[in-house]
Amino acid sequence: MKILTISTRPFSDQRPGTSGLRKKVRIFRTPHYLENFVQSIFDTRTDLSGGTLVLGGDGRYYNRQAIQTIICMAAANGVARVIVGQSGLLSTPAASCVIRKYHTNGGIILSASHNPGGPDGDFGIKFNTANGGPAPEGVTGAIYARTREISQYRTLAADEIDLDTIGTQSLGETRVEIIDAVADYAALMEELFDFERIRQLFGSGQFSMRFDAMHAITGPYAKLILETMLGAEPGTVINGDPSEDFGGGHPDPNLVHAHELVALASGPDAVDFAAASDGDGDRNMILGRNFFVTPSDSLAVMAANARHIKGYAGGLSGVARSMPTSQAVDRVAEALGLDCYETPTGWKFFGNLLDAGRITLCGEESFGSGSDHVREKDGLWAVLFWLNLLAVRNRSVQEIVQEHWRKFGRNFYTRHDYEGIDAEAASDLMAHLETLLADLPGTTLDGHTVGYADNFAYTDPVDGSVSENQGIRIGFTDGSRIVYRLSGTGTEGATLRVYLEACETDPGKQDRETAGVMQPLVGIATRMAEIESRTGRREPTVIT
Ligand code: VG1
Ligand code: CO
């Protein structure tokens, strides 16, 4: 088969963000745009030549075309074997699972996660290394540097690969294997969780659940695992057929976008347990009957209860959370004598800690949690963890969480997002905050005394790499915190995220409404950053 060498010129905007390169579909369709980035991966990850690459995506618009393009480029770049999820699909955690299980050299995941899809929506591409995790900054930095100087890429003229039939095809010297997208992942879940106990829970007739796949990738995974393997009643999975534009919705599992599910978990006829996942299957939202579990609390509850779960009964080596995630898990770690790490936002920062065996569980406030079973956050894994816990503990979600607060204290938590604001105004706002930091410690704001104020920098304890400028932290002596950072996953303007946390150890005050408790801190945070005058926004776009 004839290899074609195509001349190209660099694009200046291919720096990966928090989770890969994300742009509007129309930008990815610009001639050579996708190809330049992919060639930059092959140019910098030279072990792919002669090696094995995993390939799959969340099924959004442009997924299939991009898969065909990448297979041809992989063949032209000497990749010996490409493992592709059937129909070009792999959830992000399933891709991580497959990369690890078959000892491959890495994978390319096509996804813009929770961002809307369709011709006018977003697309994304991410490279994961041989450990199954998102490429660390050193690797993404090298890929980006390559995109700045690229002058040609390699591909070949070939017929389209049949993506829908499981089996092996050849493209020149390259073997293209189409695999079942769900099977390996489902087998891994069965190793970690007590499926028999969960089957008994569903079989009891006393327990009802809904899982909202939000028209995204987890539909097939959830139907097989929950309904077929675990015996949940048919219809437990809603919005379970993946569509290229996620049914026109926003596949982000939070109280705002998963409103259909929230309604099913509310009121007198509410189900006992409800959960949702995002576009690419790595996020999760956990709801009990009329009860929302914050992602930060979910991580803390998992850590405190891991001994009840088959795959973690041997104990945890340590835990980690991203910096803006609440300190609820820190309290558990302290009580259990576990190491606890605070990392920058983005799953790539957990990889070294997991590989080194320093942590077993980790999570982010942005509806992400996971463990050392793969190197990505994992939505369905979290749902199964909770299901297993409910089956073993025989308590409701609300009872488990409230009991947790009584024992460890409650970290009230909320996040305010200001989406699509002017990029320059956003960076000026951050610069303004930076100028305040030096004088803040020791001052008292509305009764809260500032203990520390900094721009978070992280030194990876395993390889010593340093990541600076990871967000402004203001910590008060009463344990409450305000954190500001700019999103690294958006595709339009800038998104300012303001994260707020307040600790409450008095059981008599732990059942108050979050919004009321957070009001004073919200006031401090919005005034200090001059949000209204600098962005023109009186209210956040989304509150989670
Ligand atoms: C957001 C979240 C972050 C998460 C990232 C990728 O990043 O805050 O915690 O790791 O999305 O998640 P940012 O930079 O926009 O705040 V996913 O499910 O979109 O791959
Ligand atoms: Co995601």
Side-chain angles (χ1 to χ4, degrees), residues 377-398:
K377 57 186 183 275
D378 189 343
L380 260 176
W381 168 89
V383 175
L384 292 167
F385 195 115
W386 270 93
L387 267 175
N388 198 154
L389 194 58
L390 294 171
V392 179
R393 299 239 0 230
N394 202 19
R395 295 249 205 306
S396 72
V397 172
Q398 179 167 356

Side-chain angles (χ1 to χ4, degrees), residues 60 62 73 83 131 171 212 265 272 300 302 402 431 441 467 474 493 502:
R60 67 180 58 226
Y62 201 54
M73 290 185 65
I83 301 177
N131 73 347
L171 195 59
D212 189 349
D272 299 297
M302 286 182 183
Q402 287 179 333
S467 304
I474 296 165

Side-chain angles (χ1 to χ4, degrees), residues 221-387:
Y221 293 83
K223 279 192 210 163
L224 177 80
I225 295 172
L226 297 175
E227 296 183 4
T228 307
M229 297 172 80
L230 292 170
E233 60 172 328
T236 295
V237 177
I238 62 169
N239 301 320
D241 294 320
S243 75
E244 287 199 331
D245 68 347
F246 309 117
H250 199 135
D252 197 353
N254 60 37
L255 294 174
V256 178
H257 292 117
H259 46 82
E260 184 181 352
L261 184 78
V262 173
L264 292 168
S266 310
D269 300 325
V271 293
D272 299 297
F273 180 57
S277 190
D278 71 332
D280 63 330
D282 56 1
R283 297 186 175 205
N284 73 90
M285 177 171 70
I286 300 293
L287 301 172
R289 182 180 253 269
N290 297 304
F291 192 82
F292 167 65
V293 186
T294 71
S296 298
D297 276 352
S298 178
L299 173 64
V301 169
M302 286 182 183
N305 288 278
R307 66 182 185 285
H308 296 296
I309 307 296
K310 182 170 90 174
Y312 306 94
L316 305 178
S317 59
V319 293
R321 62 166 171 82
S322 69
M323 184 272 280
T325 302
S326 99
Q327 299 160 98
V329 74
D330 303 35
R331 295 168 172 271
V332 176
E334 201 182 344
L336 302 184
L338 296 171
D339 286 338
C340 179
Y341 298 85
E342 181 176 44
T343 57
T345 295
W347 211 260
K348 59 188 168 212
F349 294 103
F350 294 130
N352 278 347
L353 297 170
L354 290 163
D355 285 351
R358 292 193 184 214
I359 59 169
T360 309
L361 295 183
C362 45
E364 297 191 279
E365 52 65 42
S366 53
F367 298 84
S369 36
S371 86
D372 58 0
H373 69 292
V374 290
R375 293 293 179 273
E376 289 278 6
K377 57 186 183 275
D378 189 343
L380 260 176
W381 168 89
V383 175
L384 292 167
F385 195 115
W386 270 93
L387 267 175

Side-chain angles (χ1 to χ4, degrees), residues 60 211 263 417 444 523:
R60 67 180 58 226
F211 176 85
D417 292 337
T444 299

Side-chain angles (χ1 to χ4, degrees), residues 323 430 454-457 468-473 483-485:
M323 184 272 280
M430 294 301 284
D454 63 10
N455 189 336
F456 182 58
E468 289 176 327
N469 257 322
Q470 297 297 322
I472 302 276
R473 294 190 302 183
V483 171
Y484 303 89
R485 56 180 284 284

